[in-house]
Amino acid sequence: MGRLTAALVVLWLCSAAVEAEYIKYKDPKQPVNARIKDLMSRMTLEEKIGQMTQIERKVASADIIKKYFIGSVVSGGGSVPAPKASAETWINMVNEFQKGALSTRLGIPMIYGIDAVHGQNNVYRATIFPHNVGLGVTRDPELVKRIGAATALEVRATGIPYTFAPCIAVCRDPRWGRCYESYSEDHKIVQSMTEIIPGLQGNVPSNYPKNFPFVGRRTKVVACAKHFVGDGGTKDGINENNTIIDWNGLLSIHMPAYLDSIRKGVATIMVSYSSWNGKKMHANYDLITGYLKNTLKFKGFVISDMWGIDRITTPSRANYTYSVQASIQAGIDMVMVPEEFIEFIDDLTLLVKKNVIPISRINDAVRRILRVKFIMGLFENPLADLSLADQLGSQEHRELAREAVRKSLVLLKNGKDRDEPLLPLPKKSEKILVAGSHADDIGNQCGGWTIEWGGQSGNITIAIKNSIDPRTKVVYEENPTKEFLNSHNFSYAIVVVGELPYVETSGDSKTLTIAEPGYNTITNVCEAMKCVVIIISGRPVVIEPYLKKIDALVAAWLPGTEGQGIADVLFGDYGFSGKLARTWFKTVDQLPMNVGDPHYDPLFPFGYGLTTSPRGLIAAQ
């Protein structure tokens, strides 16, 4: 009897030990809310604040992530593990950071984020799609959804599960240096283009909770609608400036795409550097907590922009403790610190301990961050592998980008006489001239937010050579002199000019001119022969008084790596179909000028675009 009792005791102890080992938050069969509740009941303040902290990969290590319980790591623009790093190098870096997170007491995985805004654009050999300014022209939400799905695969190919895209700004002034990140001046087009979100994250199931974040598993990524709110409406188009508009204007122009994004399950929303009627968005409680969280019922997490909370004060970081307090109280859940993370953690910890920031606000932030991590399956699959590495720069994705280029081109003029169109160009000619600073430079064609690309096949000059009869001679001369032009007998010329790459504030422009010697090249070439001018730019630019010299004019925006798509349409394999999603002004003195304005007098109106058939017949405007 004693032996039996002893055996029962041992059996009971063993079963109790097994039962004790069961941890609810680690069980994927449990409801998300139950997992969140269980995990949060185990977390210390230090662990919670760690989840709210996103640090730059340059200052990150497995040890730092473990020591400070860091919840997220970010690659800023151009922040890479090595020059020309392979997918495997990226994966190894991300996994090394992740192992630091998994080795903490509770093993909460970190989430790695990157700016994949037109493809996985920080990564060598990735497919670079046209920037949003071109995609808006297509008016093709299904195309944009496919681009989202392809981008998700290329981001996952490098071991990363989170992209800070899409930008759903409604750019109301092309002088803004980020206008190319905006699909259109018209909020309806921007709303339709939020279809990129289910491309990135996956389709929300029909029986899924309304306005709840949704992220598919291994082939999908967390998306981020940005920049909340009014970033495209700043005064004079100055980046990070003040958007002066009443509540109804904000709701009718800048807010609608956020409602669509939330409805489509967007998991995160990034706050804008800009202000609304003098109030910094990073400190705007009424809009972040009052409207976004309470009225719109957004259940994902709200993230700051990089150094965004620092800029609450002028000058930046003038009172960092206040910036931490104001931003967290406003409702920001995760802060892109990105380097001075110890100061951020110390300040936030002290503010909570002094009861300046209530623990309920911290709990709200952590609950939202954990919700996204559970929904996306990060706890079940925290480590990346090489299974998707072949998706990086795949031929299928490059063909998709080429299709997007074809559909994003806008034909603004075709022949000085409407009865004699120049386009499509003949493939058989004696000799043609290719000129201009942008014809032979793939960096110019990709624009900002693009790391060095690993190939040259997207180069427009090469694309032209690939499209024509092999007996046609192609001569490239960047800025031909009149003497050079007179000494050759060219059939026609293709001139490719435009803006040089820029990002953010460096792209703000009061003049909106193309890079020198672009206008000189247009004048010399187009006065000497029939010419088609292709403009590579992130927005409409000054084209008067040169328009009358030009036979055919094409707005190609920032097409990315697949320049062959331009040649496909130039030579008539496909027709022009793009319609302006932005008003093309006559002079910068007219700005801001958007469709519907009382003083609307454009060079080319919103919605304008000539079409051609693949057989070369000019169609209706």
Side-chain angles (χ1 to χ4, degrees):
M1 192 69 180
R3 286 180 181 175
L4 183 59
T5 303
L8 286 170
V9 168
V10 169
L11 188 63
W12 179 81
L13 287 169
C14 287
S15 66
V18 169
E19 201 172 311
E21 284 171 11
Y22 174 76
I23 301 171
K24 187 180 282 188
Y25 78 84
K26 291 187 177 180
D27 183 356
K29 294 175 184 172
Q30 290 287 336
V32 168
N33 285 343
R35 298 178 77 182
I36 293 170
K37 186 176 180 181
D38 179 63
L39 178 50
M40 288 189 64
S41 71
R42 303 167 187 269
M43 294 175 74
T44 64
L45 177 62
E46 191 179 12
E47 287 164 332
K48 289 176 179 177
I49 288 174
Q51 283 301 302
M52 298 169 68
T53 309
Q54 186 181 70
I55 66 173
E56 226 290 334
R57 57 153 288 282
K58 289 182 285 192
V59 298
S61 69
D63 289 341
I64 281 172
I65 290 167
K66 181 179 180 181
K67 181 177 179 181
Y68 295 98
F69 308 103
I70 299 298
S72 186
V73 179
V74 56
S75 268
S79 179
V80 299
K84 300 183 181 180
S86 65
E88 186 174 8
T89 301
W90 279 94
I91 287 168
N92 290 341
M93 175 194 69
V94 175
N95 282 348
E96 183 63 25
F97 294 151
Q98 190 65 281
K99 286 168 186 173
L102 298 177
S103 67
T104 57
R105 182 177 73 91
L106 297 171
I108 304 172
M110 68 86 196
I111 183 170
Y112 197 105
I114 197 164
D115 276 297
V117 297
H118 62 142
Q120 175 58 313
N121 45 264
N122 279 277
V123 176
Y124 188 64
R125 293 194 182 278
T127 308
I128 305 299
F129 294 94
H131 268 298
N132 290 354
V133 66
L135 296 181
V137 160
T138 70
R139 288 167 170 73
D140 189 342
E142 188 271 339
L143 171 69
V144 171
K145 183 177 181 178
R146 285 188 285 139
I147 289 171
T151 300
L153 284 169
E154 297 211 16
V155 172
R156 281 286 194 175
T158 54
I160 295 171
Y162 182 17
T163 174
F164 306 117
C167 176
I168 54 172
V170 182
C171 173
R172 303 289 286 175
D173 192 326
R175 291 174 293 184
W176 185 38
R178 304 191 75 160
C179 203
Y180 64 85
E181 297 182 55
S182 168
Y183 294 107
S184 178
E185 70 190 42
D186 178 12
H187 69 84
K188 291 177 184 174
I189 290 179
V190 178
Q191 286 177 267
S192 71
M193 293 296 150
T194 59
E195 198 61 14
I196 195 172
I197 291 168
L200 291 164
Q201 296 190 157
N203 293 316
V204 177
S206 57
N207 59 347
Y208 202 70
K210 192 177 178 182
N211 296 345
F212 206 71
F214 174 80
V215 188
R217 296 298 169 101
R218 309 279 281 186
T219 61
K220 297 298 180 181
V221 295
V222 171
C224 180
K226 66 182 188 184
H227 308 85
F228 188 82
V229 61
D231 51 340
T234 56
K235 183 171 169 46
D236 299 329
I238 298 170
N239 192 41
E240 303 182 23
N241 200 15
N242 189 23
T243 297
I244 303 167
I245 194 170
D246 64 20
W247 175 239
N248 288 335
L250 192 74
L251 280 187
S252 62
I253 296 173
H254 299 285
M255 196 69 79
Y258 285 95
L259 278 67
D260 289 78
S261 300
I262 294 167
R263 183 169 54 81
K264 293 175 182 180
V266 76
T268 72
I269 289 176
M270 184 183 289
V271 179
S272 178
Y273 289 127
S274 59
S275 303
W276 177 49
N277 294 336
K279 176 81 171 177
K280 291 272 189 180
M281 274 306 310
H282 273 76
N284 197 316
Y285 173 89
D286 291 338
L287 280 174
I288 298 172
T289 298
Y291 192 73
L292 181 60
K293 289 183 174 181
N294 295 344
T295 302
L296 299 185
K297 308 296 184 188
F298 174 62
K299 294 291 192 290
F301 68 79
V302 177
I303 187 167
S304 80
D305 208 334
M306 190 168 279
W307 289 293
I309 72 166
D310 304 37
R311 302 182 198 187
I312 288 172
T313 59
T314 305
S316 182
R317 291 183 70 85
N319 184 340
Y320 190 65
T321 303
Y322 168 75
S323 293
V324 173
Q325 177 187 334
S327 60
I328 301 301
Q329 286 181 326
I332 294 175
D333 304 311
M334 183 181 284
V335 175
M336 201 181 281
V337 181
E339 294 174 12
E340 301 86 357
F341 60 93
I342 296 174
E343 185 181 356
F344 169 75
I345 289 169
D346 287 348
D347 281 3
L348 183 52
T349 303
L350 194 61
L351 287 165
V352 176
K353 287 183 174 178
K354 285 185 170 182
N355 295 318
V356 176
I357 294 177
I359 192 67
S360 59
R361 173 72 272 273
I362 302 300
N363 288 340
D364 171 58
V366 177
R367 192 177 295 114
R368 290 166 177 276
I369 293 164
L370 294 178
R371 182 178 292 134
V372 171
K373 289 184 176 183
F374 279 124
I375 286 169
M376 67 184 289
L378 196 59
F379 280 78
E380 286 68 60
N381 296 296
L383 296 172
D385 58 44
L386 284 165
S387 61
L388 293 173
D390 63 345
Q391 295 290 330
L392 190 69
S394 73
Q395 189 58 37
E396 184 182 352
H397 295 166
R398 290 177 59 182
E399 288 297 329
L400 175 61
R402 183 172 170 179
E403 177 189 348
V405 172
R406 291 195 294 263
K407 291 180 175 178
S408 66
L409 304 174
V410 182
L411 181 57
L412 298 172
K413 183 179 180 181
N414 192 14
K416 291 177 181 175
D417 182 341
R418 287 293 295 271
D419 296 328
E420 291 186 32
L422 180 60
L423 297 175
L425 294 168
K427 293 185 177 184
K428 286 185 179 179
S429 300
E430 286 290 320
K431 183 165 58 172
I432 64 175
L433 171 67
V434 178
S437 54
H438 287 53
D440 222 38
D441 190 321
I442 201 158
N444 287 342
Q445 294 160 32
C446 289
W449 296 111
T450 315
I451 199 170
E452 179 186 5
W453 189 68
Q456 285 295 314
S457 62
N459 179 304
I460 293 174
T461 303
I462 293 173
I464 290 166
K465 290 177 180 177
N466 290 341
S467 301
I468 58 174
D469 188 290
R471 290 164 292 187
T472 299
K473 187 176 181 183
V474 177
V475 176
Y476 173 69
E477 184 73 14
E478 183 173 334
N479 187 31
T481 62
K482 290 181 179 178
E483 292 74 27
F484 174 87
L485 294 166
N486 292 333
S487 64
H488 290 76
N489 186 25
F490 291 111
S491 304
Y492 58 83
I494 300 170
V495 180
V496 192
V497 292
E499 296 185 298
L500 298 176
Y502 51 84
V503 295
E504 301 192 16
T505 304
S506 68
D508 287 356
S509 172
K510 293 179 180 177
T511 58
L512 294 178
T513 52
I514 61 174
E516 291 296 340
Y519 295 117
N520 184 63
T521 306
I522 290 171
T523 299
N524 285 349
V525 175
C526 294
E527 285 181 350
M529 68 193 77
K530 285 191 173 182
C531 70
V532 52
V533 173
I534 300 170
I535 297 180
I536 305 289
S537 68
R539 51 204 165 183
V541 290
V542 170
I543 199 63
E544 288 285 49
Y546 306 94
L547 183 60
K548 62 180 180 292
K549 301 176 190 286
I550 297 168
D551 293 277
L553 178 63
V554 178
W557 316 109
L558 299 170
T561 51
E562 305 314 305
Q564 188 66 47
I566 296 176
D568 288 344
V569 183
L570 278 185
F571 293 98
D573 293 331
Y574 294 82
F576 281 92
S577 61
K579 304 289 184 184
L580 286 179
R582 301 210 57 78
T583 296
W584 203 294
F585 56 87
K586 291 177 180 174
T587 72
V588 290
D589 296 336
Q590 296 174 295
L591 299 175
M593 178 177 64
N594 295 284
V595 64
D597 287 350
H599 65 290
Y600 199 67
D601 181 29
L603 182 62
F604 300 109
F606 175 89
Y608 180 88
L610 302 173
T611 57
T612 59
S613 78
R615 292 180 300 279
L617 300 174
I618 190 72
Q621 182 177 313

Short mmCIF file of all heavy atoms in Angstrom, two decimals, residues 79 101 145 190 204 311 313 366 368 397 405 458 485 502 510 527 548 552 579:
data_model
loop_
_atom_site.label_atom_id
_atom_site.label_comp_id
_atom_site.label_asym_id
_atom_site.label_seq_id
_atom_site.Cartn_x
_atom_site.Cartn_y
_atom_site.Cartn_z
N SER A 79 20.60 51.41 -44.58
CA SER A 79 21.24 50.71 -43.46
C SER A 79 21.22 49.21 -43.74
O SER A 79 20.19 48.56 -43.62
CB SER A 79 20.49 51.03 -42.15
OG SER A 79 21.08 50.35 -41.07
N ALA A 101 16.36 38.16 -28.69
CA ALA A 101 15.01 38.34 -28.14
C ALA A 101 14.46 37.04 -27.57
O ALA A 101 13.85 37.03 -26.49
CB ALA A 101 14.08 38.88 -29.23
N LYS A 145 -2.09 45.63 -56.04
CA LYS A 145 -2.19 44.50 -55.10
C LYS A 145 -1.15 43.43 -55.44
O LYS A 145 -0.49 42.88 -54.54
CB LYS A 145 -3.59 43.91 -55.15
CG LYS A 145 -3.81 42.77 -54.14
CD LYS A 145 -5.25 42.27 -54.17
CE LYS A 145 -5.47 41.16 -53.16
NZ LYS A 145 -6.87 40.69 -53.14
N VAL A 190 -6.05 57.57 -54.19
CA VAL A 190 -5.25 57.07 -53.08
C VAL A 190 -6.02 55.97 -52.34
O VAL A 190 -5.46 54.92 -52.00
CB VAL A 190 -4.87 58.20 -52.11
CG1 VAL A 190 -4.09 57.66 -50.92
CG2 VAL A 190 -4.05 59.28 -52.83
N VAL A 204 -8.19 39.82 -45.93
CA VAL A 204 -8.89 39.62 -44.67
C VAL A 204 -9.99 38.58 -44.87
O VAL A 204 -10.81 38.71 -45.78
CB VAL A 204 -9.51 40.95 -44.18
CG1 VAL A 204 -10.31 40.72 -42.90
CG2 VAL A 204 -8.43 41.99 -43.94
N ARG A 311 11.39 65.67 -32.56
CA ARG A 311 11.03 66.90 -33.28
C ARG A 311 9.76 67.55 -32.75
O ARG A 311 9.29 68.52 -33.33
CB ARG A 311 10.91 66.59 -34.77
CG ARG A 311 12.21 66.01 -35.33
CD ARG A 311 12.12 65.74 -36.81
NE ARG A 311 13.18 64.82 -37.22
CZ ARG A 311 13.45 64.49 -38.47
NH1 ARG A 311 12.74 65.00 -39.44
NH2 ARG A 311 14.42 63.65 -38.76
N THR A 313 9.76 69.16 -30.11
CA THR A 313 10.29 70.46 -29.68
C THR A 313 11.12 71.09 -30.78
O THR A 313 11.64 70.41 -31.66
CB THR A 313 11.18 70.30 -28.43
OG1 THR A 313 12.27 69.42 -28.74
CG2 THR A 313 10.40 69.75 -27.26
N VAL A 366 1.51 48.04 -25.29
CA VAL A 366 2.08 46.69 -25.34
C VAL A 366 1.04 45.69 -25.86
O VAL A 366 1.36 44.80 -26.65
CB VAL A 366 2.62 46.28 -23.96
CG1 VAL A 366 3.14 44.85 -23.99
CG2 VAL A 366 3.74 47.24 -23.53
N ARG A 368 -1.29 46.23 -27.99
CA ARG A 368 -1.39 46.40 -29.44
C ARG A 368 -0.20 45.77 -30.17
O ARG A 368 -0.36 45.14 -31.22
CB ARG A 368 -1.49 47.89 -29.77
CG ARG A 368 -2.81 48.51 -29.36
CD ARG A 368 -2.77 50.04 -29.38
NE ARG A 368 -4.07 50.60 -29.06
CZ ARG A 368 -5.06 50.78 -29.93
NH1 ARG A 368 -4.86 50.47 -31.21
NH2 ARG A 368 -6.21 51.28 -29.56
N HIS A 397 8.74 38.75 -60.90
CA HIS A 397 8.55 40.07 -60.32
C HIS A 397 9.04 41.17 -61.26
O HIS A 397 8.46 42.25 -61.33
CB HIS A 397 9.27 40.16 -58.97
CG HIS A 397 8.71 39.24 -57.94
ND1 HIS A 397 9.35 38.95 -56.76
CD2 HIS A 397 7.55 38.52 -57.92
CE1 HIS A 397 8.61 38.10 -56.07
NE2 HIS A 397 7.52 37.83 -56.76
N VAL A 405 5.43 49.63 -65.34
CA VAL A 405 6.06 50.75 -66.06
C VAL A 405 5.22 51.11 -67.29
O VAL A 405 4.90 52.27 -67.53
CB VAL A 405 7.51 50.41 -66.47
CG1 VAL A 405 8.07 51.50 -67.39
CG2 VAL A 405 8.40 50.24 -65.24
N GLY A 458 17.88 47.19 -66.98
CA GLY A 458 16.75 48.11 -66.95
C GLY A 458 17.06 49.46 -67.56
O GLY A 458 16.18 50.29 -67.74
N LEU A 485 25.11 67.30 -83.87
CA LEU A 485 23.81 67.00 -84.47
C LEU A 485 23.80 67.25 -85.97
O LEU A 485 23.20 66.49 -86.73
CB LEU A 485 22.73 67.85 -83.78
CG LEU A 485 22.47 67.53 -82.30
CD1 LEU A 485 21.66 68.63 -81.64
CD2 LEU A 485 21.77 66.19 -82.15
N TYR A 502 16.25 62.17 -54.94
CA TYR A 502 16.19 62.90 -53.67
C TYR A 502 15.24 62.18 -52.73
O TYR A 502 14.40 61.38 -53.17
CB TYR A 502 15.70 64.34 -53.90
CG TYR A 502 14.42 64.43 -54.71
CD1 TYR A 502 13.17 64.29 -54.09
CD2 TYR A 502 14.46 64.65 -56.09
CE1 TYR A 502 12.00 64.35 -54.84
CE2 TYR A 502 13.29 64.71 -56.84
CZ TYR A 502 12.06 64.56 -56.21
OH TYR A 502 10.90 64.61 -56.95
N LYS A 510 11.27 74.88 -54.88
CA LYS A 510 10.42 76.03 -55.22
C LYS A 510 10.36 76.26 -56.72
O LYS A 510 9.51 76.99 -57.21
CB LYS A 510 10.96 77.29 -54.52
CG LYS A 510 10.83 77.26 -53.01
CD LYS A 510 11.41 78.51 -52.38
CE LYS A 510 11.28 78.48 -50.87
NZ LYS A 510 11.89 79.67 -50.23
N GLU A 527 15.29 71.03 -81.93
CA GLU A 527 15.36 72.00 -83.02
C GLU A 527 16.03 71.39 -84.25
O GLU A 527 15.84 71.88 -85.36
CB GLU A 527 16.11 73.26 -82.57
CG GLU A 527 15.28 74.16 -81.66
CD GLU A 527 16.01 75.42 -81.24
OE1 GLU A 527 17.24 75.51 -81.50
OE2 GLU A 527 15.37 76.32 -80.65
N LYS A 548 6.55 73.55 -77.23
CA LYS A 548 6.30 73.72 -78.67
C LYS A 548 7.44 73.14 -79.52
O LYS A 548 7.24 72.82 -80.69
CB LYS A 548 6.06 75.19 -79.01
CG LYS A 548 7.21 76.12 -78.72
CD LYS A 548 6.85 77.56 -79.10
CE LYS A 548 7.97 78.53 -78.82
NZ LYS A 548 8.22 78.69 -77.36
N ALA A 552 6.94 64.79 -79.36
CA ALA A 552 6.18 63.89 -78.48
C ALA A 552 6.76 63.98 -77.08
O ALA A 552 7.98 64.05 -76.90
CB ALA A 552 6.23 62.46 -78.99
N LYS A 579 -3.26 57.90 -67.37
CA LYS A 579 -3.93 59.19 -67.24
C LYS A 579 -3.38 59.92 -66.02
O LYS A 579 -3.21 59.31 -64.95
CB LYS A 579 -5.44 59.00 -67.06
CG LYS A 579 -6.11 58.19 -68.17
CD LYS A 579 -6.19 58.96 -69.47
CE LYS A 579 -6.95 58.18 -70.54
NZ LYS A 579 -6.95 58.88 -71.84
#
